[in-house]
């Protein structure tokens, strides 16, 4: 059984009812909420998170990916990362440790922001809510 986990902190979360969050819901199962130490920024109607020491908790949801053969390609295209997109990619998909109350620590894939955040508004509460 494929045991890939994905941590989402923005528009892929279930509260952002859009085609990609619905695709994630249809091809995965929600596991629990979690957080990592970093910084969260408002980019342009969507968030970007950095994993940095000395940051604050960035909160999100953890999913167990069920149909990875379909889902990873679609998610990479949505996040504009991987083959076919100009370098440097806006997001990079990496595995990091996510902390949870229910499951302890889990290794999860995450899309981390990869461009300069100079001039971007920081979201110090660590929770992204769409502004529109």
């Amino acid at each position: 059984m494929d045991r890939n986990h994905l941590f989402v902190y923005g528009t892929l979360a279930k509260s952002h009812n859009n085609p990609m969050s619905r695709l994630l819901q249809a091809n995965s199962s929600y596991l629990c909420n979690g957080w990592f130490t970093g910084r969260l920024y408002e980019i342009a109607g969507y968030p970007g998170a950095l994993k940095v020491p000395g940051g604050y908790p960035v909160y999100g949801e953890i999913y167990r990916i069920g149909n990875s053969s379909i889902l990873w390609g679609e998610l990479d295209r949505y996040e504009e990362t991987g083959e076919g997109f100009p370098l440097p990619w806006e997001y990079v998909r990496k595995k990091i440790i996510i902390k949870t109350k229910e499951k302890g620590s889990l290794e999860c894939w995450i899309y981390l922001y990869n461009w300069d955040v100079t001039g971007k508004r920081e979201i110090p509460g660590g929770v992204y809510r769409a502004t529109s």
Side-chain angles (χ1 to χ4, degrees), residues 13-80:
K14 57 186 167 191
S15 61
H16 296 271
N17 187 22
N18 63 56
M20 287 309 294
S21 75
R22 288 191 297 272
L23 180 70
L24 177 60
Q25 304 300 312
N27 291 281
S28 66
S29 57
Y30 169 79
L31 198 58
C32 61
N33 289 337
W35 70 92
F36 71 96
T37 301
R39 296 191 183 280
L40 186 63
Y41 294 88
E42 171 68 36
I43 303 302
Y46 55 90
L50 306 175
K51 181 166 177 31
V52 295
Y56 45 81
V58 175
Y59 298 97
E61 303 166 350
I62 299 173
Y63 291 87
R64 179 174 292 128
I65 303 302
N67 194 346
S68 62
S69 63
I70 292 173
L71 196 56
W72 287 124
E74 291 296 321
L75 292 175
D76 285 353
R77 278 188 285 286
Y78 179 70
E79 300 291 355
E80 297 185 4

Side-chain angles (χ1 to χ4, degrees), residues 39-44 48-50 90 113-123:
R39 296 191 183 280
L40 186 63
Y41 294 88
E42 171 68 36
I43 303 302
L50 306 175
E90 186 173 13
Y113 195 67
N114 194 42
W115 288 356
D116 185 14
V117 293
T118 302
K120 303 296 183 191
R121 183 178 65 83
E122 192 167 352
I123 306 169

Side-chain angles (χ1 to χ4, degrees), residues 67-117:
N67 194 346
S68 62
S69 63
I70 292 173
L71 196 56
W72 287 124
E74 291 296 321
L75 292 175
D76 285 353
R77 278 188 285 286
Y78 179 70
E79 300 291 355
E80 297 185 4
T81 185
E83 193 173 313
F85 293 99
L87 293 171
W89 299 320
E90 186 173 13
Y91 289 86
V92 292
R93 180 165 42 107
K94 293 185 173 184
K95 276 191 173 180
I96 67 170
I97 299 298
I98 302 294
K99 297 175 184 170
T100 75
K101 288 182 182 178
E102 298 88 348
K103 307 283 184 185
S105 296
L106 291 173
E107 186 178 52
C108 298
W109 288 104
I110 183 174
Y111 289 94
L112 292 171
Y113 195 67
N114 194 42
W115 288 356
D116 185 14
V117 293

